[in-house]
């Protein structure tokens, strides 16, 4: 009896085989594109995390599939009864910009098997700041009763779940290293740790157990700051475009370095010449001196990214050392698994802690709140299962968003996804 696992890609594809055909299965063919809002017509339960910039919808669906039974020697049994018809469950997480929330809810409403009337009285768990702002919209469009969950509690619950259940979820990043990514195995012994959630602003949480955690600090200088100032200072039209600019820019055209001040290293205090002494300092200095300097939008974006990331890293490092925490996980969706951002934060944490604090990143950093909200609803229904990632239906480590065409509004929406398959055994 073969069960699906996190690395058994071929076995997971058994669920895609034709249910009507008997005998040996046909060859497996991977889809050319990942379908958005997969299996929505079989959705049974919903949760949603509505942030200022991004929204994540979670829903649970039931799948029918055939499970193959093999003899002890590994060869198929001789009779015709080698397949068992089974049902399993899958969690779907779909992420998109909050400005498209009403369009996506219209799509969900139009594609549900049950009518809006049949959904009345059922519950959708909602978290994030938008859980309050859009509560009436959710109830009006889907007919679901909105139950709001605490944002921090959902973040912690989602993070604990990923660290304990999903293999290779957490990793350290070493730019130009070999290997560049060092993945961590899933481990039930994850406490204590610190979670730095970088959204529009930044929240810093100390986590000591499943039920013991507190917000110990934060900063208003976060992803919203980068996006807002980047929009004012460059011609970039979106967050991802700013990141792309930053990747090719040269911050030395805008930032004042230690070497610009001292002509080299400041050896008395161990400051290398290439350390940033003043973010954007070269611009104001040159202006005062009446000098003309050349810099591009890409240079500005890179300098801005370094400014935000270095400050977050320094603040996180200080809180970790104050509370004697050795592991710092970064969540939210500011990083987006972007190499330059992760490198800057890793460098900052290592520099300020003198190597005593480890910075770790999450492959599914943007889904923590949605996962936590969904789990709270599942637990109320007495469901406690183990889950594994379905790699075929999920976006990659460095996601290239699926472009979903909204036929009604004739518009394109960039969407990324995560799918988790339920294991057969209850916890």
């Amino acid at each position: 009896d073969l069960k699906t696992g996190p690395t058994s890609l071929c076995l997971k594809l058994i669920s895609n085989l034709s249910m009507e055909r008997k005998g040996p299965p046909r060859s497996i063919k991977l889809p050319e594109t990942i379908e958005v809002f997969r299996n929505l017509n079989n959705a049974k339960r919903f949760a949603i995390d509505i942030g200022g910039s991004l929204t994540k919808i979670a829903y649970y669906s039931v799948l029918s599939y055939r499970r193959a039974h093999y003899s002890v020697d590994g060869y198929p049994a001789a009779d015709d009864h080698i397949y068992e018809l089974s049902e399993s469950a899958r969690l779907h997480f779909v992420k998109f910009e909050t400005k498209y929330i009403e369009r996506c809810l219209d799509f969900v409403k139009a594609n549900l098997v049950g009518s809006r009337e049949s959904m009345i009285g059922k519950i959708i768990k909602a978290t994030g700041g938008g859980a309050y702002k859009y509560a009436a919209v959710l109830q009006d469009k889907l007919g679901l009763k909105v139950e709001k969950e605490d944002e921090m509690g959902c973040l912690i619950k989602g993070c604990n779940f990923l660290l304990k259940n999903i293999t290779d979820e957490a990793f350290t990043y070493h730019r130009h290293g070999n290997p560049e990514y060092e993945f961590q195995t899933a481990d039930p012994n994850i406490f204590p740790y610190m979670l730095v959630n970088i959204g529009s602003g930044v929240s810093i949480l100390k986590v000591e157990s499943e039920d013991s955690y507190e917000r110990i600090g934060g900063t208003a200088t976060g992803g919203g700051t980068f996006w807002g100032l980047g929009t004012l200072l460059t011609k970039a039209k979106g967050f991802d475009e700013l990141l792309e600019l930053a990747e090719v820019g040269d911050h030395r055209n805008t930032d004042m370095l230690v070497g610009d001040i001292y002509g080299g290293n400041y050896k008395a205090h161990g400051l290398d010449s290439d350390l940033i002494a003043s973010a954007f300092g070269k611009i104001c200095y040159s202006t005062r001196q009446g000098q003309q300097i050349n810099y591009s939008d890409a240079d500005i974006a890179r300098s801005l990214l370094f400014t935000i990331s270095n400050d977050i890293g320094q603040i996180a490092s200080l809180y970790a050392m104050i509370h004697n925490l050795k592991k710092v996980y970064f969540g939210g969706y500011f990083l987006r698994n972007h190499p330059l951002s992760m490198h800057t934060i890793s460098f900052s944490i290592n520099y300020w802690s003198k190597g005593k604090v480890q910075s770790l990143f999450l492959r599914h950093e943007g889904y923590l709140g949605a996962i936590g909200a969904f789990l709270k609803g599942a637990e109320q229904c007495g469901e406690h299962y183990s889950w594994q990632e379905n790699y075929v239906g999920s976006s990659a480590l460095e996601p290239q968003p699926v472009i979903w065409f909204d036929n009604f509004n004739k518009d394109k929406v960039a969407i990324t996804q995560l799918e988790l398959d339920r294991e057969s055994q209850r916890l």
Side-chain angles (χ1 to χ4, degrees):
D1 184 3
L2 297 178
K3 294 191 293 185
T4 58
T7 58
S8 53
L9 176 61
C10 292
L11 293 181
K12 282 186 175 296
L13 290 171
I14 290 176
S15 62
N16 295 327
L17 298 173
S18 169
M19 297 303 302
E20 293 76 24
R21 177 177 174 140
K22 295 181 179 180
R26 290 170 293 185
S27 298
I28 294 170
K29 182 179 180 181
L30 290 172
E32 294 182 0
T33 58
I34 297 176
E35 181 185 349
V36 176
F37 288 106
R38 298 207 308 169
N39 215 35
L40 181 60
N41 57 346
N42 290 324
K44 304 297 182 185
R45 185 183 301 125
F46 287 89
I48 191 167
D49 176 12
I50 310 174
S53 304
L54 295 162
T55 290
K56 287 73 66 176
I57 289 180
Y59 62 95
Y60 162 105
S61 68
V62 176
L63 304 173
S64 296
Y65 67 96
R66 290 190 299 173
R67 172 173 289 173
H69 291 269
Y70 294 91
S71 58
V72 176
D73 58 10
Y75 293 97
D79 56 39
D80 292 331
H81 302 88
I82 61 172
Y83 292 103
E84 174 189 3
L85 183 62
S86 301
E87 283 191 345
S88 187
R90 176 171 291 169
L91 289 182
H92 308 258
F93 298 90
V94 183
K95 180 166 53 187
F96 51 86
E97 287 188 57
T98 298
K99 65 182 180 181
Y100 297 115
I101 185 170
E102 295 199 36
R103 298 184 191 180
C104 289
L105 290 177
D106 285 335
F107 182 84
V108 170
K109 174 183 174 182
N111 287 273
L112 284 172
V113 169
S115 64
R116 180 187 177 283
E117 289 70 28
S118 69
M119 304 298 285
I120 292 177
K122 294 185 179 179
I123 292 170
I124 180 170
K125 291 288 187 180
T127 190
Y132 297 87
K133 181 178 179 180
Y134 292 98
V137 174
L138 288 168
Q139 190 158 341
D140 177 63
K141 290 188 177 294
L142 300 182
L144 295 166
K145 179 183 177 183
V146 179
E147 284 193 357
K148 304 177 186 70
E149 292 289 343
D150 174 66
E151 183 175 6
M152 299 303 167
C154 289
L155 286 172
I156 297 301
K157 195 167 195 66
C159 189
N160 291 343
F161 172 84
L162 288 176
L163 293 176
K164 288 183 176 183
N165 288 272
I166 306 301
T167 298
D168 297 337
E169 173 61 33
F171 62 92
T172 57
Y173 180 75
H174 312 279
R175 190 170 172 88
H176 308 308
N178 185 20
E180 198 167 7
Y181 296 86
E182 288 189 37
F183 291 94
Q184 314 290 305
T185 57
D187 186 353
N189 303 310
I190 61 174
F191 306 111
Y193 69 85
M194 194 170 84
L195 174 63
V196 180
N197 191 62
I198 314 174
S200 298
V202 180
S203 285
I204 300 176
L205 300 106
K206 176 183 178 181
V207 186
E208 296 181 290
S209 70
E210 289 285 352
D211 302 313
S212 177
Y213 57 86
E214 64 174 318
R215 186 181 188 275
I216 55 176
T219 172
T221 306
T225 314
F226 174 69
W227 196 347
L229 287 177
T231 301
L232 289 172
L233 297 173
T234 74
K235 296 181 177 64
K237 296 179 180 178
F239 192 92
D240 289 313
E241 189 175 342
L242 275 171
L243 289 179
E244 290 171 6
L245 281 174
E247 189 64 45
V248 298
D250 187 346
H251 76 105
R252 294 171 296 182
N253 292 331
T254 53
D255 292 341
M256 183 178 290
L257 309 183
V258 168
D260 294 322
I261 299 174
Y262 296 99
N265 299 333
Y266 189 4
K267 294 181 180 179
H269 293 282
L271 301 177
D272 293 337
S273 61
D274 58 353
L275 287 176
I276 298 171
S278 175
F280 293 99
K282 190 171 287 185
I283 296 176
C284 66
Y285 177 80
S286 298
T287 301
R288 289 202 312 270
Q289 298 298 316
Q291 299 173 353
Q292 181 69 33
I293 63 170
N294 295 316
Y295 55 87
S296 65
D297 278 5
D299 301 336
I300 292 173
R302 192 178 186 95
S303 180
L304 185 58
L305 181 67
F306 281 177
T307 300
I308 305 298
S309 300
N310 275 320
D311 280 0
I312 292 173
Q314 182 178 10
I315 292 169
S317 177
L318 292 173
Y319 274 109
M321 289 189 291
I322 289 171
H323 291 271
N324 197 31
L325 298 168
K326 304 301 182 185
K327 295 183 295 183
V328 179
Y329 293 96
F330 289 88
Y333 202 50
F334 165 70
L335 294 173
R336 304 198 183 192
N337 299 132
H338 185 255
L340 186 60
S341 306
M342 294 189 295
H343 166 70
T344 308
I345 284 182
S346 294
F347 175 85
S348 183
I349 289 278
N350 185 68
Y351 180 85
W352 291 108
S353 73
K354 295 180 170 59
K356 295 179 181 178
V357 178
Q358 184 181 34
S359 55
L360 296 112
F361 304 95
L362 303 171
R363 288 195 298 122
H364 302 110
E365 56 185 6
Y367 298 100
L368 304 186
I371 292 172
F374 184 90
L375 291 174
K376 284 179 177 289
E379 288 175 357
Q380 286 182 359
C381 297
E383 296 179 2
H384 299 270
Y385 285 93
S386 179
W387 300 81
Q388 294 289 354
E389 183 176 1
N390 173 28
Y391 293 107
V392 176
S394 300
S395 302
L397 178 64
E398 299 177 36
Q400 296 296 321
V402 177
I403 302 300
W404 171 57
F405 188 73
D406 178 3
N407 288 303
F408 182 77
N409 293 283
K410 306 299 181 184
D411 196 8
K412 294 180 179 179
V413 181
I415 286 177
T416 54
Q417 302 181 116
L418 167 65
E419 290 185 356
L420 301 175
D421 287 341
R422 190 179 73 188
E423 296 293 285
S424 58
Q425 299 298 320
R426 285 178 176 265
L427 293 178

